[in-house]
Amino acid sequence: QVQVVESGGGLVQPGGSLRLSCAASGIIFSSYTADWYRQAPGKQREWVARISSAGSTNYADSVKGRFTISRDNMKNTVHLQMNSLKPEDTALYSCFIFGNGNTYWGQGTQVTVSS
């Protein structure tokens, strides 16, 4: 059974940092692409970042230069390092893994940026 579990969210002050993790099990993780999405209350879900199976990365303009996505295929994990956080980064952050004709979502981890 495939499981995708996010962790690392929490409450942080503006300007602070958090590191999110997304752990996948039950798949050959190295052959999958992984995205991070976020959804703030009352807003549509927004794509944040992507890392391909080959390790290439892409970012939404709103987070470029502040967030870094990375992967550890030995640990079947994707990370999202978030620096210089702003109140508008407050959202539920979810991991989306896809490839080989399959797609998997995690349940999400809440990030709240507030003083």
Side-chain angles (χ1 to χ4, degrees):
Q1 185 177 357
V2 178
Q3 284 193 316
V4 177
V5 180
E6 300 93 336
S7 61
L11 174 64
V12 62
Q13 291 187 342
S17 298
L18 281 176
R19 188 189 192 212
L20 306 184
S21 297
C22 169
S25 60
I27 57 174
I28 303 174
F29 180 69
S30 59
S31 64
Y32 285 75
T33 292
D35 286 358
W36 282 98
Y37 282 81
R38 65 185 182 185
Q39 187 167 20
K43 295 188 176 181
Q44 288 191 331
R45 186 161 53 196
E46 174 190 20
W47 173 78
V48 175
R50 170 173 293 176
I51 187 163
S52 73
S53 57
S56 60
T57 59
N58 295 94
Y59 299 92
D61 287 343
S62 58
V63 307
K64 201 171 292 184
R66 299 188 299 122
F67 290 11
T68 303
I69 190 170
S70 61
R71 66 190 298 157
D72 182 346
N73 289 333
M74 294 296 291
K75 296 183 179 180
N76 286 7
T77 303
V78 175
H79 300 288
L80 186 68
Q81 177 67 42
M82 306 186 298
N83 299 329
S84 303
L85 283 162
K86 306 174 182 179
E88 51 264 43
D89 293 319
T90 295
L92 179 70
Y93 284 73
S94 300
C95 185
F96 176 62
I97 295 174
F98 63 96
N100 304 316
N102 301 310
T103 61
Y104 306 102
W105 282 97
Q107 293 298 308
T109 185
Q110 178 67 37
V111 172
T112 301
V113 185
S114 174
S115 55

